[in-house]
Amino acid sequence: MPKRFSDEDIQKIIDTHSQGTHSQGAVDPEGPYLTDVLIAGSGPVGCAYARTILDKQPGARVLMIEIGSQDGPVIGAHHKNSIKYQKDIDSFVHVVQGALQPLSISQEETHLSTLGGDAWRLRPNQSLVMHSRNPKQQPEVNLRASAATRTVGGMATHWTCCCPIPHEDERRNNPIPWEELEKLLNRASQLLNIDKGAFDAKDFIRHQVVKSTLLKALGEERGITALPLAVKRRPENQNYVTWSGSDTILGDAVTSEGFTLWAEHRVTKVVPRGPNSPEIAGAMLRNLRTNDDVFTVVVCCGAVGTPQVLYNSRINSEALGRYLCEQSLAFCQIVLKQELVDGIETNPDFAAKVKAHRDRYPYDPLPIPFHDPEPQIMIPYSTEHPYHVQIHRDAFSYGEVGSKADSRTVVDLRYFGKQQISKDNRVSFGDEHARGWQPGISDIYGMPQPTFYVTRSEEDHILDHKMMADMTAVANTMGAFLPGSLPQFMEPGLALHITGTTRIGKDKNDSVADEFSFSVVHGYQNLWVGGNGCIPDSTACNPTLTSVAIAIKGAEAVVDYLKKSA
Ligand SMILES: Cc1cc2nc3c(=O)[nH]c(=O)nc-3n(C[C@H](O)[C@H](O)[C@H](O)COP(=O)(O)OP(=O)(O)OC[C@H]3O[C@@H](n4cnc5c(N)ncnc54)[C@H](O)[C@@H]3O)c2cc1C
């Protein structure tokens, strides 16, 4: 066992590491907190680490640190599990909007051109710098809609729960051999409680109408299927479902004696045992810190938050924040064709439900029960059609139907496109023109401000065009565009599926974490990273399943490390 630091040593580490950084470096009056594993971030990936470590080593002490607050009684639960949102999916749009804190706002967006009178105003050469307003951000290379969700449970408190298996094109750079990755993906599916059948019953009217219409129009070859969702229909009331959140992944581990969660605590940086030491001695938290009895640190703070913590710890390797891929997102909504709605009345599979609804609500103009589950269809990625397609009804930060139409007749089409991998596509936390570490401006939580440098290539544009053409053609087979939701590309970053920023790989020059111990940061022995940033590929499909799979493997390596060090 490594020896504990003296108070003097701790003070020295704090002094060295606080100089010129964004950290507070305060000494916690309670003294150091001792743990075997410190996990930064309570999203699905942090929880996959906690669960796997505690399953494999029940006596381990796991301290989870989360910058956001706990917003409900169940640690990390999906907010959409409230009956309120299941009755009215549109009202969840505002929850998602409120959950997304923008990461980088360019100066152009902060200009108040109509401000008149004698109000306070910026002088020439001044710019706003508070709350992610970022004078360094050029608008044309920004991921304007990219955002963080800071709450216990991370983004899995509001996500759509779609968990497709990545196509082989989407895992070419992944150093984990396919047979092993496949097993890990299966284990991840179990942790996430994935159930394709929850929305696929024969008498779920909207789902079956959309599915059969698509099959008729596109044939079998596109692989049209139910969306693989992390959800379970509730046995006590089939009208409602339980969406998987970080709580689902955490499972029983939450009650384990070794598990502790501190919400509203910031992991400022990880602290090596000494200069150039490959061993992490602890982590500095805001207003408190742990010392050398931390054996391992796992940083799972999201695809931007994770490289941010590493950068603030001066672990600024060649690949950190680079090879960033974000998906393009094409979106539209349609109102189902008259003939499709009329066909519901005569379909024998729906007869019982339609009659019961008609008897009870004779004034409803639609033959669709109010509780009829939403359609949830996927057209999977293929080499010929290299994009991931969700044809469904759900709440995001946009696409609210409101009073414009009856939500039961509306179908959302979301097409996710890949981005060519480029070293130059990156998120940076310091002064681009300075060598090495430089203090910059701070984000809303006092960490180094992220700035994006992301462009789409010629090839990306061509693919995006093909994707848009496909979306409009498919939409036309089902109905007419809903006014206000015509086919459009959404703001860059809105997919919220950034990958690559802490990618795993063989080579230190083009990856941040290694392929052998799975997700150990190159050059360190007890510092792990987790999350979508670890995915070394450009993907079109949703990334969480893959990130949870990689995390399971990483967590097993943590357990091996703990055993070896015991
Ligand atoms: C509207 C929406 C729909 C989505 N739909 C899907 C989908 O269908 N399928 C899919 O695969 N993915 C989807 N996603 C994305 C999915 O939610 C993320 O891929 C997933 O949550 C990533 O998990 P994570 O644990 O790596 O990161 P996060 O969930 O982002 O969690 C990271 C946590 O770290 C905390 N943190 C950050 N910095 C610090 C710090 N310095 N100290 C302490 N804590 C810190 C944050 O507060 C956060 O709670 C969606 C997201 C949104 C918002």
Side-chain angles (χ1 to χ4, degrees):
M1 282 266 266
K3 80 165 183 42
R4 279 186 55 175
F5 286 164
S6 68
D7 282 355
E8 246 175 34
D9 288 340
I10 293 171
Q11 192 57 61
K12 245 189 256 159
I13 291 179
I14 288 171
D15 288 347
T16 318
H17 288 275
S18 320
Q19 277 165 19
T21 74
H22 298 76
S23 63
Q24 308 300 307
V27 180
D28 176 25
E30 304 280 317
Y33 189 91
L34 315 177
T35 184
D36 297 320
V37 184
L38 183 144
I39 299 176
S42 66
V45 174
C47 287
Y49 265 95
R51 167 75 182 269
T52 310
I53 292 167
L54 286 163
D55 274 358
K56 298 262 161 183
Q57 188 146 330
R61 292 167 300 176
V62 173
L63 173 63
M64 183 176 271
I65 306 292
E66 168 56 51
I67 208 166
S69 56
Q70 191 179 322
D71 297 333
V74 179
I75 289 179
H78 201 309
H79 297 329
K80 208 164 61 184
N81 287 331
S82 296
I83 299 294
K84 172 183 170 186
Y85 301 124
Q86 303 211 11
K87 278 187 178 296
D88 176 12
I89 187 72
D90 277 345
S91 61
F92 198 66
V93 169
H94 304 285
V95 176
V96 181
Q97 279 167 357
L100 295 176
Q101 293 182 293
L103 290 173
S104 186
I105 301 168
S106 70
Q107 206 181 328
E108 282 71 3
E109 287 188 60
T110 66
H111 180 56
L112 272 176
S113 54
T114 52
L115 178 69
D118 61 355
W120 175 86
R121 66 193 67 228
L122 291 171
R123 294 179 197 285
N125 299 325
Q126 284 186 324
S127 21
L128 300 179
V129 296
M130 203 178 151
H131 290 185
S132 302
R133 295 173 184 90
N134 181 0
K136 280 196 268 177
Q137 181 65 62
Q138 299 154 25
E140 62 280 10
V141 289
N142 194 9
L143 292 178
R144 189 166 169 251
S146 202
T149 295
R150 296 181 178 97
T151 183
V152 170
M155 283 197 192
T157 51
H158 73 246
W159 71 319
T160 310
C161 296
C162 180
C163 291
I165 303 274
H167 183 273
E168 63 175 299
D169 289 356
E170 299 175 286
R171 46 183 164 82
R172 284 195 198 290
N173 297 315
N174 198 314
I176 306 176
W178 172 238
E179 296 87 74
E180 180 168 13
L181 185 59
E182 199 179 19
K183 283 190 196 133
L184 290 168
L185 289 165
N186 280 334
R187 286 172 65 189
S189 303
Q190 281 164 19
L191 282 188
L192 283 158
N193 229 345
I194 292 174
D195 180 1
K196 256 181 144 182
F199 283 86
D200 204 21
K202 224 175 135 199
D203 61 349
F204 289 176
I205 298 176
R206 290 185 285 164
H207 179 83
Q208 294 302 343
V209 166
V210 171
K211 192 165 149 192
S212 58
T213 308
L214 288 170
L215 276 168
K216 212 159 122 197
L218 305 177
E220 299 281 347
E221 52 285 5
R222 293 281 298 266
I224 294 161
T225 178
L227 268 175
L229 291 171
V231 68
K232 281 273 177 292
R233 204 150 275 288
R234 295 191 188 172
E236 72 280 9
N237 186 340
Q238 292 283 308
N239 288 332
Y240 302 117
V241 292
T242 302
W243 296 99
S244 298
S246 298
D247 61 326
T248 317
I249 298 177
L250 206 48
D252 289 346
V254 76
T255 55
S256 142
E257 216 173 286
F259 180 77
T260 309
L261 169 73
W262 290 350
E264 297 197 311
H265 282 73
R266 181 185 74 189
V267 174
T268 306
K269 58 166 66 177
V270 296
V271 181
R273 187 165 292 285
N276 302 322
S277 168
E279 195 187 347
I280 297 300
M284 283 178 59
L285 312 182
R286 182 169 177 143
N287 292 334
L288 57 115
R289 45 74 192 115
T290 56
N291 79 351
D292 66 346
D293 277 55
V294 171
F295 270 1
T296 44
V297 175
V298 188
V299 186
C300 305
C301 293
V304 173
T306 299
Q308 184 182 47
V309 170
L310 262 51
Y311 178 87
N312 206 34
S313 313
R314 304 190 195 183
I315 301 173
N316 192 7
S317 63
E318 177 71 18
L320 191 77
R322 290 185 175 268
Y323 303 96
L324 185 158
C325 288
E326 176 57 299
Q327 298 162 357
S328 54
L329 175 55
F331 168 69
C332 68
Q333 289 174 304
I334 57 105
V335 179
L336 285 172
K337 284 182 182 186
Q338 183 74 51
E339 67 183 58
L340 292 176
V341 176
D342 291 347
I344 293 169
E345 304 264 14
T346 52
N347 187 324
D349 287 338
F350 310 145
K353 277 196 168 173
V354 171
K355 180 171 183 314
H357 182 68
R358 283 269 184 247
D359 289 349
R360 184 136 184 232
Y361 301 103
Y363 298 108
D364 184 9
L366 283 167
I368 306 171
F370 298 131
H371 280 299
D372 182 56
E374 296 88 27
Q376 300 282 8
I377 306 287
M378 171 172 81
I379 311 181
Y381 177 104
S382 66
T383 310
E384 304 71 51
H385 300 278
Y387 27 81
H388 164 72
V389 181
Q390 293 174 197
I391 298 183
H392 61 157
R393 187 78 257 286
D394 205 347
F396 289 73
S397 52
Y398 55 94
E400 181 187 7
V401 171
S403 56
K404 287 182 281 191
D406 191 307
S407 178
R408 291 169 293 172
T409 61
V410 175
V411 181
D412 304 355
L413 289 91
R414 287 185 174 82
Y415 274 57
F416 298 82
K418 288 206 296 189
Q419 172 158 36
Q420 224 178 11
I421 299 177
S422 156
K423 187 178 179 183
D424 290 336
N425 283 337
R426 65 198 183 279
V427 57
S428 148
F429 303 97
D431 186 336
E432 278 286 298
H433 305 292
R435 286 185 61 218
W437 185 89
Q438 281 278 313
I441 54 165
S442 300
D443 75 2
I444 187 169
Y445 277 80
M447 294 290 279
Q449 169 62 43
T451 300
F452 291 105
Y453 298 85
V454 182
T455 49
R456 290 186 79 72
S457 69
E458 210 45 40
E459 197 177 295
D460 293 335
H461 291 314
I462 292 168
L463 260 182
D464 285 346
H465 197 78
K466 188 174 166 186
M467 178 169 99
M468 176 60 91
D470 191 44
M471 183 177 80
T472 49
V474 170
N476 279 319
T477 66
M478 288 186 293
F481 296 115
L482 177 72
S485 274
L486 301 182
Q488 59 199 287
F489 284 109
M490 305 307 279
E491 281 291 350
L494 195 62
L496 299 163
H497 290 165
I498 289 178
T499 55
T501 50
T502 53
R503 66 208 299 251
I504 52 172
K506 288 186 172 63
D507 188 345
K508 282 186 181 137
N509 294 315
D510 65 13
S511 61
V512 171
D514 78 346
E515 54 165 325
F516 304 111
S517 336
F518 291 91
S519 318
V520 173
V521 175
H522 290 306
Y524 290 83
Q525 59 190 47
N526 61 345
L527 174 61
W528 271 255
V529 281
N532 301 339
C534 290
I535 297 175
D537 285 281
S538 168
T539 65
C541 76
N542 327 60
T544 312
L545 179 71
T546 304
S547 296
V548 170
I550 296 173
I552 292 173
K553 190 69 198 165
E556 288 177 346
V558 172
V559 171
D560 286 347
Y561 181 83
L562 290 176
K563 283 184 178 152
K564 270 192 226 134
S565 322

